[in-house]
Amino acid sequence: MAEDNPTGERFFAHGKVILLGEHAVVYGTPALGGTLSLGATVSLEPGSGRLVVPAWQMVVSSDYDGNELPLARAYRAIRRALGLSPSGFDLKLEFSLPAGAGLGSSAAFAVAIGRALIRAHALPGGEALVAAAALASENEIHGKSSGFDQALALSPSGFYLFSHAAGCLRLTQRAPLSLVIADSGRTRDTSSAVDQVASLLRDRSDEVRARIAAIAVIVDKGRAALEARAYGELGAAMQENQRHLSALEVSAPEIDQLCALANDQGAIGAKLTGGGRGGCVIMLAPGREQALQRAVENSGFRAFVAEVGG
Ligand code: MEV
């Protein structure tokens, strides 16, 4: 029957912005983030279980096992987690956000692929099974992770406070937050950045522990500021968080350049978002977003204005 045939159906999962608390969250402290309306869309087409990414001219067969591309390894990990053998659908993937830039593209990819495969193969288990598939994918790509990225990709639009102990709590704040998001042009490298912090924690234990504790306080202040729409305080929290991230050596010259540019142009907060060492910088400049976007673009970087949490 036509209604039982999922050919042509589309499955979406959104990206995210971590406002405060990345890296420290890996060690159990809370982080604050919001969803983006951009993300990953997967459509089902007749085929043999291949992953097709037209924008990257990339095709991965379902029994593929040699290539080191992270997305291809993640696709295999998802199929393995779902216990699937090659079958009658190809999955066409499109991103509406910059991929590999700290905006949750890999978690959005995993959730959208998981939803599509579960529908294509009529697997029971719903979103819990999607979460298991996403976990397998994120572990394959990033190694040690807090779980925040996939929790956000699985959650409805909004702002969330996440910690390992308490999970993903939705904030009462409903109005979206307008941010300028600037791409450093350097691919973020979450797994090496997470390893970097782990190695600093071994070498400079007291200092790094103190920074993680300080970031937890910043997240707390930032959450209160977001809920009160006290944007000056939220911006100050972002500035302070960026100083700690820089000291944890997960920034990059382009990120520092973008933060300085944002501050020169009157932004009240600017920091890296996500894994760092590349990826995107988020900039808070209420009412001045378009002018700031132009200034960033005039300096040779790509930028867009996004409504986070809406
Ligand atoms: C990556 O988006 C955020 C990190 O904190 C890693 C994680 O939470 O798994 C760097």
Side-chain angles (χ1 to χ4, degrees):
M1 284 191 309
E3 61 266 30
D4 288 327
N5 182 354
T7 300
E9 286 186 23
R10 291 161 70 81
F11 302 84
F12 175 77
H14 46 226
K16 60 81 174 96
V17 164
I18 297 186
L19 296 171
L20 297 166
E22 54 275 270
H23 285 290
V25 69
V26 174
Y27 297 92
T29 60
L32 181 66
T35 56
L36 284 169
S37 57
L38 310 173
T41 301
V42 169
S43 41
L44 289 170
E45 299 182 346
S48 56
R50 298 177 314 160
L51 172 66
V52 180
V53 194
W56 299 353
Q57 300 186 337
M58 176 175 144
V59 178
V60 179
S61 71
S62 55
D63 57 356
Y64 156 104
D65 66 355
N67 197 321
E68 287 305 306
L69 277 175
L71 211 65
R73 285 193 277 113
Y75 180 55
R76 273 190 88 216
I78 294 172
R79 295 193 69 96
R80 223 174 17 242
L82 297 178
L84 292 174
S85 48
S87 75
F89 291 98
D90 282 350
L91 284 77
K92 193 168 109 196
L93 172 69
E94 288 158 288
F95 285 114
S96 54
L97 80 183
L103 301 179
S105 57
S106 65
F109 157 82
V111 169
I113 293 277
R115 286 178 179 153
L117 284 173
I118 284 168
R119 169 71 177 111
H121 296 271
L123 299 176
E127 288 288 280
L129 191 57
V130 177
L135 179 66
S137 176
E138 287 290 276
N139 284 345
E140 181 69 42
I141 296 186
H142 295 313
K144 183 176 165 68
S145 92
S146 67
F148 192 16
D149 289 13
Q150 63 264 38
L152 272 173
L154 283 156
S155 299
S157 301
F159 292 99
Y160 292 86
L161 191 69
F162 175 90
S163 70
H164 186 66
C168 212
L169 303 178
R170 193 171 185 189
L171 302 193
T172 54
Q173 161 75 343
R174 290 288 178 266
L177 180 70
S178 209
L179 291 177
V180 177
I181 302 184
D183 192 339
S184 70
R186 188 192 279 261
T187 306
R188 65 90 181 89
D189 187 351
T190 303
S191 107
S192 89
V194 168
D195 288 350
Q196 162 68 19
V197 175
S199 125
L200 278 189
L201 186 57
R202 284 192 296 274
D203 298 346
R204 302 186 340 223
S205 173
D206 290 350
E207 180 211 325
V208 173
R209 279 181 205 290
R211 291 196 187 281
I212 290 172
I215 291 173
V217 175
I218 292 168
V219 170
D220 200 42
K221 282 196 224 158
R223 190 209 50 171
L226 178 68
E227 291 195 307
R229 300 199 210 171
Y231 295 129
E233 285 163 36
L234 180 59
M238 289 166 66
Q239 297 287 100
E240 224 188 311
N241 195 165
Q242 175 61 22
R243 281 194 286 276
H244 288 293
L245 289 165
S246 218
L248 293 173
E249 300 178 16
V250 294
S251 196
E254 295 86 349
I255 292 174
D256 297 342
Q257 188 187 340
L258 281 166
C259 290
L261 174 75
N263 296 148
D264 285 352
Q265 295 291 323
I268 55 178
K271 65 179 276 294
L272 68 84
T273 186
R277 293 195 140 184
C280 286
V281 170
I282 53 172
M283 303 170 174
L284 181 61
R288 306 200 52 246
E289 291 88 358
Q290 312 297 336
L292 180 55
Q293 178 190 357
R294 276 194 301 277
V296 171
E297 286 171 344
N298 288 341
S299 299
F301 293 95
R302 282 195 294 204
F304 60 100
V305 178
E307 301 293 308
V308 178

